[in-house]
Amino acid sequence: MKRDVKAIVKEMTLEEKAGMCSGKDFWHLKGVERLGIPEVMVSDGPHGLRKQAEEADHLGLNESIKAVCFPTACATACSFDRDLLQEMGERLGEECQAEDVSVILGPAVNIKRSPLCGRNFEYFSEDPYLASQMAAAHIKGVQSKNVGTSIKHFAANNQEHRRMSCSSEIDERTFREIYLGAFETAIKEAKPDTVMCSYNKINGEFASENHRLLTEILRDEWGFEGYVMSDWGAVNERVKGLKAGLDLEMPGSGGYTDKEIVEAVKNGTMDESVLDTAVERILNVVFHYVDNRQEGTFDREEDHKLAAKIAAESMVLLKNEGILPLKPEGKKIAFIGKFAEQPRFQGGGSSHINSFKITSALDAVKEVTEVTYAQGYDIKEDKTDEKLHKEAVQAAKEADVAVIFAGLPDAFESEGYDRTHMRMPQCQNTLISDITKVQKNVVVVLHNGSPVEMPWADDVQGILEAYLCGEAVGQAEVDLLFGKANPCGKLAETVPYKLSDNPSYLYFPGDGKTVEYKEGVFVGYRYYDTKEMPVRYPFGYGLSYTTFAYSDMQISAEEIKDTDTLKVSLKVKNTGNVAGKEIVQLYVADKTGAASRPVKELKNFVKVELQPQEEKTVEMELDKRSFAWYCTELQDWYAATGEYEILAAASSQDVRLRKTVRVVSSQEIPLHVHMNTTISELMENPKTNSVIQELASSLIEHMGGSQDGEEGTAAAEAITPEMSMKMMENAPLRAMRSFMGMNGEELEALIKKLQEAASM
């Protein structure tokens, strides 16, 4: 049935309307029984249902229902698989219906600006395009079951340190391209029911009361129609926030801020229509869920199997010197490390799932072969336990192959605080190093939510990055280690050699009051690749048990308008002996020189499954945004006229094929001519070029460029033609007074003539 929400709002008292704009408790919205408005529940996600019952809290101190923990975003992003994320979303939506949860709080798309952010395990990528694509698929999946999502944390929340008060100081272009970019496409294409605003300030103003962010950009520009909720406790000034576009405060404030809203309407400082609009937005989402209520199924065993499948698709094989897949026949294999028995598969904080079942690698390997096991280390503190250490080294020495399960304990990364370094516990690094001295066949399996330094990487034969891959992590690890599944994940973030290589190193996490985003758009691989800096493993990198060849790249046109769509196709062949999946990445390199840009940016990708020796043609599209950068002067996205390279790559540093396309812009950046406009700016503009060319040669002459000096003379050596040309190009118009003897009236006349030409 179709509800007349506006009519319902008219029936509500002022107090009832104000009450709808804050939570009843930690997880429920208020209802109005006399008007048929039910109380509905929201619950933490995004990689599992953390539904709490009584004595609810935000950070997971109290017990939640038994649920299924799917792989976290740091892992699923490495799948580069939109369909897989949608399938996971659908299953989460089913679970929410079964448990009567109207909105699941996620996905989280904040950019991985620094490896140190304590919540990176919940975030997808350092790349806004990849993050947005993964988020859009997740949202579509959940909402196909008539359950809402809450994309978060909007915006520029890229650290835990002082996250509730610190101001992210960020320029407009960087904000648009990187930090809003991760949200924009997901919101426009997948239309999440809700958006969760972040705790932090943005350029001095709290996100929760930022009208430009919550109304002008989110609603007016992007067309968002749902409601905006606060992160838990993010409200600073409630009435100002409501005016800015913050509809729902979570959790409740015991009625205090409801009274503030009522008073603001009564004393005329806020129009009641602002409140009415917020209530309408909330009720539209509430009734959509209630009117499409289903029984839902929560088959934990089946969902556990799906978690294992997703984990196997997401793990990344970083190194393999012929040691993998393992052959159990006639081999003595040792599993070493506490994480083999008690895996770390999720992060700490509000997303922590009370998993109904956990499959460790030791559990899963029983179906394949017998292994010896040694704990090797403890995780309570970073201290070598000599007894455990010696047992592990001896077990490795006596085996044919040692598989070491290592990584970051819970205490090393969590919501609420950031890491201070990129190192694993020293006791684990020492253990790996000592084992490599007695055993040459070593594989390391990593459990971590963010990159770690790997001082032992050159001394082991295999590295499998498992990230935090959910409750079925052990099953996926064993399937990959023994070849039942073929690794097909690729890194959604760069792994640098050391922390100080990271572009935000000098600025993260700021002084506690502000944090400056001085690296601008050069985040992650955009920085490393542009700077030509060596990294441990580049963005988009990942190995397989087979090999792939790219060929026959085609583009639909050699020249397009910026309003056109470019179609790109190429052939991919599995040149090995086992079936596998390849992730083909499409990057765009701007060759126009119109703006300072990274050497390449990811703009599309496709994952293709191929049998041995099978070849398929894959197709992708590029639109205007694939070529554009955000021009603050236009306050719009701008693709300059000129040449762009289209790069088909296996990683950001492994370009296989390339084509060049010319893009013709339908926009023009206005040229405002004034005394300090340079000659080169005027020469580059076709409209003013002819005017300034008349003066250029004369200006060069006056600057000494045509001096008649014999070769080798002091005059000729002091003022070369090249020097004169560059001095002329870089000279502002006011230089005409000094070098050409123009008076003020003549200069003003020239500027007027140039202004008229520029505006034609």
Side-chain angles (χ1 to χ4, degrees):
M1 63 178 178
K2 179 68 175 175
R3 309 262 189 163
D4 189 342
V5 171
K6 287 185 180 294
I8 293 172
V9 173
K10 285 182 180 179
E11 293 293 315
M12 298 174 74
T13 67
L14 178 58
E15 288 75 16
E16 286 170 339
K17 288 188 286 190
M20 281 303 303
C21 293
S22 67
K24 176 188 175 185
D25 52 33
F26 255 84
W27 302 119
H28 293 87
L29 277 64
K30 300 187 188 83
V32 182
E33 188 175 352
R34 70 181 185 85
L35 295 175
I37 301 172
E39 296 177 3
V40 295
M41 186 177 194
V42 301
S43 181
D44 268 324
H47 50 265
L49 189 57
R50 194 179 79 89
K51 179 186 177 184
Q52 288 183 304
E54 302 303 319
E55 301 299 323
D57 67 274
H58 180 39
L59 292 178
L61 301 177
N62 295 313
E63 198 79 342
S64 55
I65 66 166
K66 290 287 186 180
V68 174
C69 180
F70 290 96
T72 61
C74 65
T76 57
C78 297
S79 74
F80 281 73
D81 193 328
R82 300 174 181 90
D83 293 339
L84 192 69
L85 267 288
Q86 184 158 337
E87 184 180 2
M88 175 175 148
E90 289 169 1
R91 199 62 62 91
L92 287 168
E94 283 279 350
E95 293 179 2
C96 288
Q97 284 283 7
E99 292 292 336
D100 198 11
V101 171
S102 69
V103 174
I104 188 168
L105 306 179
V109 300
N110 298 98
I111 292 297
K112 297 183 179 186
R113 178 180 176 232
S114 166
L116 298 183
C117 176
R119 212 167 176 179
N120 272 355
F121 64 87
E122 274 191 77
Y123 303 149
F124 287 115
S125 180
E126 67 189 28
D127 180 79
Y129 178 80
L130 177 58
S132 199
Q133 292 294 302
M134 295 292 98
H138 180 108
I139 292 164
K140 289 174 183 176
V142 173
Q143 295 194 170
S144 71
K145 304 300 180 180
N146 296 305
V147 171
T149 56
S150 190
I151 192 169
K152 61 185 186 181
H153 308 86
F154 193 61
N157 176 193
N158 307 99
Q159 64 188 56
E160 294 298 283
H161 180 63
R162 301 281 178 90
R163 62 175 174 164
M164 298 188 79
S165 58
C166 192
S167 179
S168 299
E169 301 293 309
I170 184 169
D171 70 86
E172 180 71 3
R173 183 183 159 200
T174 299
F175 193 38
R176 292 282 190 161
E177 290 188 24
I178 305 297
Y179 299 97
L180 290 183
F183 288 91
E184 183 179 356
T185 302
I187 289 170
K188 285 180 174 178
E189 293 185 0
K191 302 185 185 306
D193 282 348
T194 81
V195 169
M196 184 189 292
C197 78
S198 56
Y199 289 117
N200 53 288
K201 297 175 184 175
I202 301 167
N203 294 329
E205 185 168 38
F206 280 105
S208 64
E209 51 196 43
N210 191 316
H211 186 273
R212 181 166 176 268
L213 180 70
L214 301 183
T215 296
E216 295 169 35
I217 294 174
L218 180 61
R219 300 185 189 282
D220 298 344
E221 288 186 33
W222 297 355
F224 174 68
E225 296 179 346
Y227 69 78
V228 176
M229 70 168 74
S230 71
D231 203 343
W232 268 232
V235 169
N236 179 51
E237 293 182 33
R238 183 64 187 106
V239 173
K240 183 179 179 182
L242 193 60
K243 290 179 181 179
L246 175 65
D247 305 303
L248 176 65
E249 175 186 10
M250 289 300 289
S253 63
Y256 179 79
T257 53
D258 297 353
K259 291 176 183 176
E260 286 187 333
I261 293 170
V262 170
E263 181 60 29
V265 173
K266 286 182 175 179
N267 66 25
T269 56
M270 185 180 74
D271 196 290
E272 191 168 357
S273 64
V274 174
L275 176 59
D276 291 347
T277 299
V279 176
E280 286 173 21
R281 290 167 179 159
I282 294 167
L283 291 182
N284 280 330
V285 175
V286 168
F287 285 130
H288 177 76
Y289 170 73
V290 171
D291 294 341
N292 292 279
R293 183 79 176 87
Q294 302 162 9
E295 287 301 314
T297 58
F298 196 166
D299 187 329
R300 288 164 173 78
E301 287 291 348
E302 283 301 309
D303 292 3
H304 183 84
K305 291 177 184 175
L306 177 60
K309 171 189 167 184
I310 295 169
E313 293 277 326
S314 303
M315 293 180 187
V316 184
L317 183 60
L318 296 178
K319 183 175 183 180
N320 185 22
E321 294 187 351
I323 195 170
L324 296 173
L326 298 174
K327 303 293 189 292
E329 299 83 11
K331 295 282 188 181
K332 187 176 181 182
I333 299 172
F335 275 17
I336 294 168
K338 186 161 187 172
F339 288 156
E341 182 181 22
Q342 296 179 15
R344 180 162 181 260
F345 58 89
Q346 63 176 325
S350 60
S351 69
H352 196 88
I353 307 302
N354 184 13
S355 299
F356 99 103
K357 179 180 181 180
I358 300 167
T359 302
S360 71
L362 271 183
D363 295 329
V365 79
K366 292 173 184 175
E367 302 297 320
V368 180
T369 188
E370 289 186 10
V371 300
T372 57
Y373 170 66
Q375 181 179 322
Y377 59 84
D378 206 345
I379 57 174
K380 293 177 183 176
E381 57 180 334
D382 184 5
K383 184 178 179 181
T384 296
D385 183 310
E386 292 298 338
K387 183 174 180 293
L388 294 178
H389 187 90
K390 288 179 181 178
E391 287 175 354
V393 173
Q394 188 61 31
K397 185 176 181 179
E398 293 173 357
D400 296 308
V401 179
V403 183
I404 306 172
F405 295 79
L408 299 177
D410 282 329
F412 273 58
E413 54 181 351
S414 171
E415 178 178 357
Y417 56 89
D418 297 314
R419 291 197 288 166
T420 57
H421 57 77
M422 244 178 71
R423 299 184 298 276
M424 283 169 41
Q426 187 55 44
C427 64
Q428 293 187 33
N429 283 332
T430 301
L431 178 64
I432 296 170
S433 178
D434 286 353
I435 286 175
T436 61
K437 294 172 184 175
V438 300
Q439 175 58 258
K440 64 178 182 178
N441 298 315
V442 177
V443 177
V444 176
V445 180
L446 290 171
H447 305 73
N448 49 296
S450 202
V452 293
E453 293 174 9
M454 305 179 200
W456 33 260
D458 294 336
D459 301 321
V460 301
Q461 279 62 55
I463 304 173
L464 179 65
E465 174 59 86
Y467 277 110
L468 302 183
C469 242
E471 66 178 45
V473 57
Q475 186 64 61
E477 287 170 343
V478 168
D479 286 349
L480 292 167
L481 288 170
F482 289 91
K484 184 178 178 182
N486 191 349
C488 60
K490 294 198 175 188
L491 290 174
E493 61 188 329
T494 308
V495 179
Y497 278 104
K498 59 186 185 299
L499 177 63
S500 57
D501 290 342
N502 181 264
S504 72
Y505 177 71
L506 294 177
Y507 322 117
F508 183 98
D511 60 10
K513 295 180 180 178
T514 62
V515 53
E516 296 179 301
Y517 287 53
K518 286 188 175 181
E519 69 277 8
V521 298
F522 294 93
V523 177
Y525 73 89
R526 286 168 163 77
Y527 170 80
Y528 297 114
D529 291 359
T530 303
K531 198 172 188 293
E532 298 181 352
M533 175 178 282
V535 296
R536 178 70 73 181
Y537 297 109
F539 174 87
Y541 169 85
L543 300 175
S544 168
Y545 293 151
T546 188
T547 52
F548 301 95
Y550 297 16
S551 66
D552 194 23
M553 184 177 180
Q554 302 290 333
I555 55 177
S556 56
E558 293 184 355
E559 180 174 300
I560 61 169
K561 296 178 182 176
D562 62 0
T563 51
D564 296 336
T565 297
L566 184 72
K567 292 180 171 59
V568 182
S569 68
L570 64 137
K571 292 177 180 177
V572 186
K573 184 176 182 178
N574 181 345
T575 53
N577 299 318
V578 294
K581 296 180 181 179
E582 173 67 337
I583 297 163
V584 182
Q585 300 152 52
L586 207 60
Y587 295 84
V588 172
D590 184 346
K591 300 297 182 181
T592 67
S596 175
R597 299 186 68 179
V599 290
K600 68 178 85 67
E601 297 172 280
L602 182 72
K603 296 300 178 182
N604 212 329
F605 58 85
V606 65
K607 193 169 190 175
V608 57
E609 184 172 10
L610 295 164
Q611 296 300 312
Q613 301 304 311
E614 183 181 12
E615 184 175 67
K616 289 182 180 177
T617 297
V618 298
E619 297 179 343
M620 290 171 273
E621 292 185 346
L622 299 172
D623 58 15
K624 176 187 173 180
R625 283 289 291 272
S626 306
F627 301 97
W629 49 280
Y630 191 82
C631 176
T632 54
E633 194 164 3
L634 290 173
Q635 295 186 35
D636 196 6
W637 294 87
Y638 174 70
T641 296
E643 291 190 342
Y644 297 79
E645 270 196 321
I646 315 301
L647 312 171
S651 80
S652 75
Q653 295 187 7
D654 184 7
V655 176
R656 303 287 182 87
L657 301 169
R658 60 183 74 219
K659 287 279 186 180
T660 299
V661 64
R662 177 176 168 79
V663 176
V664 179
S665 180
S666 60
Q667 296 170 288
E668 188 176 295
I669 300 177
L671 178 63
H672 304 290
V673 185
H674 47 80
M675 287 179 63
N676 284 298
T677 303
T678 64
I679 303 299
S680 61
E681 289 176 275
L682 297 165
M683 293 177 73
E684 289 165 6
N685 188 299
K687 294 181 179 180
T688 56
N689 179 276
S690 58
V691 177
I692 207 65
Q693 282 288 1
E694 298 172 10
L695 296 167
S697 57
S698 179
L699 182 58
I700 290 175
E701 185 175 342
H702 280 82
M703 296 177 84
S706 61
Q707 196 170 104
D708 295 326
E710 293 183 14
E711 186 176 345
T713 64
E717 290 174 357
I719 305 177
T720 64
E722 292 80 9
M723 170 188 164
S724 298
M725 177 62 73
K726 288 300 178 185
M727 286 183 66
M728 182 273 294
E729 289 175 355
N730 293 320
L733 283 173
R734 60 179 167 77
M736 298 287 190
R737 295 180 304 197
S738 301
F739 295 108
M740 292 185 64
M742 272 191 182
N743 59 39
E745 291 78 12
E746 290 172 326
L747 182 57
E748 286 180 15
L750 174 61
I751 291 173
K752 183 179 180 181
K753 185 177 181 181
L754 287 164
Q755 285 174 332
E756 290 172 351
S759 61
M760 288 178 62

